[in-house]
Amino acid sequence: MTSTPPRTAELPPSAQESSVVPLPGTAVRRAVTALSFLSFRNIGAVYVWLVIVALFSVWAPDTFPTTTTVKQVLNGNAVAGLVALSVVPPLAARVFDLSIAYTMSLTSVLTAHFMVSSGLGPGTAVTLAMAAALLIGVVNGIVVVVLRVDSFIATLATGALIQSLITMVTNDSSITGVQLLAKPFASIAQLDAGGITLPVLYLLLAALAIWFLLEHTATGRRLYAIGFNAHAARLQGVRTDRLRFLTLVASALLSGFAGVVFASSVGSGSPTAGTPYLLSAYAAAFVGATQLRAGRFNAWGTVLAVLLLGTGITGLGLATSAQWATSLFTGSVLIVALVFTGGTPNSKES
């Protein structure tokens, strides 16, 4: 009886090859993730931003590429950023709020009116102005959600009503007074650290809060679900009406706060404070929807778009371009953003 000699343990060819050339799967995934993050489709606005910086650095080499310009872009666009962020939650749920500009103007003039004409303290004046913003949000919610009026038309109509109230309070004249130039009210927007003013901090905090809400909470996922398909979300048990109502309230409060900050920064209550911010707010929101979270309205993409638009507008100002160039630039960026997002929201509002 012969015994079978024991076989020497050998690695299969595939194992031998892999042991010679190790290629961990995690490294591949990280490389793919990095390339995906750096793609033009994901952060194209960053590359456009760099092109704009390079262009104006050549166009206005003595004034544009300076730290002063950086501070000017940040400080000068903080209020615009707050207004732009105010439309992100409603847009995530496919609700349009066109009353934000009027809400901002109203809180600006009400704060000034209560302080200058009524002699109230800054805290009381700001509280009353923000209460008015809250009321606007509730009214918008009732008209859009309860009465089922299309949000585009409804908020445009409430905006017209707000404008009539602004005219009644101001007679279309700015409200000024030494109370608006003194502390503590002036400190709301004019207090700075290293040349960076407090509104920049407000912008970062608001963006952080909206980002956390949309990306890391069940409420945020439900808002996106409503935006993509409100009927399907309702069938899944999502309280679509309540969430859309709350987005309109949040939008009014944030745009109202932007009006208070604006009044503090300029030292007056302007009846047209919010008018220039309406187009830029929606331009930033739609451009932001093409960045970082393509197809979804998001906070950091919106902030990035605000800085891109702000850099271009600041550059045009420093390069002493024509007055119409600013509107041309903003409108062109919005058209490009709509092209990238397909021209319309990715679902119809229901």
Side-chain angles (χ1 to χ4, degrees), residues 35-341:
L35 290 175
S36 176
F37 178 79
L38 295 175
S39 66
F40 184 86
R41 186 177 183 84
N42 190 53
I43 56 170
V46 173
Y47 300 122
V48 175
W49 191 10
L50 294 176
V51 170
I52 291 174
V53 170
L55 174 63
F56 285 112
S57 296
V58 174
W59 192 354
D62 296 329
T63 56
F64 185 80
T66 63
T67 55
T68 301
T69 301
V70 174
K71 295 175 182 178
Q72 183 178 349
V73 170
L74 291 174
N75 296 333
N77 291 280
V79 172
L82 289 172
V83 180
L85 286 175
S86 72
V87 305
V88 171
L91 285 176
R94 286 300 178 271
V95 178
F96 286 88
D97 186 359
L98 298 184
S99 67
I100 55 168
Y102 305 98
T103 304
M104 176 182 172
S105 299
L106 180 65
T107 55
S108 171
V109 298
L110 283 182
T111 303
H113 174 76
F114 288 137
M115 291 180 63
V116 175
S117 301
S118 302
L120 300 178
T124 304
V126 170
T127 300
L128 291 175
M130 290 303 297
L134 175 62
L135 179 61
I136 291 171
V138 171
V139 171
N140 281 338
I142 292 174
V143 175
V144 173
V145 177
V146 179
L147 301 182
R148 301 293 179 183
V149 180
D150 181 83
S151 63
F152 193 95
I153 303 300
T155 56
L156 189 62
T158 55
L161 296 176
I162 297 168
Q163 185 59 52
S164 66
L165 178 59
I166 293 172
T167 302
M168 182 177 67
V169 172
T170 65
N171 197 26
D172 285 334
S173 299
S174 295
I175 301 176
T176 58
V178 293
Q179 299 94 326
L180 303 175
L181 303 174
K183 295 179 179 180
F185 182 71
S187 300
I188 293 176
Q190 299 180 26
L191 192 65
D192 71 279
I196 304 299
T197 56
L198 273 180
V200 177
L201 177 61
Y202 305 149
L203 174 62
L204 293 176
L205 291 176
L208 183 64
I210 294 174
W211 165 78
F212 184 81
L213 171 69
L214 293 179
E215 303 294 339
H216 295 281
T217 67
T219 299
R221 291 190 291 272
R222 290 173 184 137
L223 286 175
Y224 280 135
I226 294 170
F228 282 111
N229 193 322
H231 180 65
R234 192 180 299 112
L235 292 177
Q236 292 295 322
V238 177
R239 297 181 178 179
T240 57
D241 287 346
R242 185 175 72 171
L243 289 177
R244 294 170 70 202
F245 190 103
L246 291 176
T247 61
L248 287 168
V249 172
S251 175
L253 286 173
L254 189 52
S255 58
F257 178 67
V260 174
V261 174
F262 180 86
S264 174
S265 64
V266 301
S268 67
S270 172
T272 59
T275 304
Y277 293 99
L278 182 60
L279 176 60
S280 61
Y282 275 91
F286 274 92
V287 172
T290 69
Q291 305 299 302
L292 304 177
R293 299 282 287 170
R296 295 187 179 187
F297 294 98
N298 63 90
W300 295 119
T302 301
V303 172
L304 175 61
V306 167
L307 294 178
L308 185 154
L309 292 168
T311 300
I313 293 171
T314 300
L316 289 171
L318 294 175
T320 62
S321 60
Q323 293 183 352
W324 48 262
T326 298
S327 297
L328 176 64
F329 175 78
T330 302
S332 299
V333 171
L334 179 55
I335 291 174
V336 172
L338 289 173
V339 170
F340 274 102
T341 54

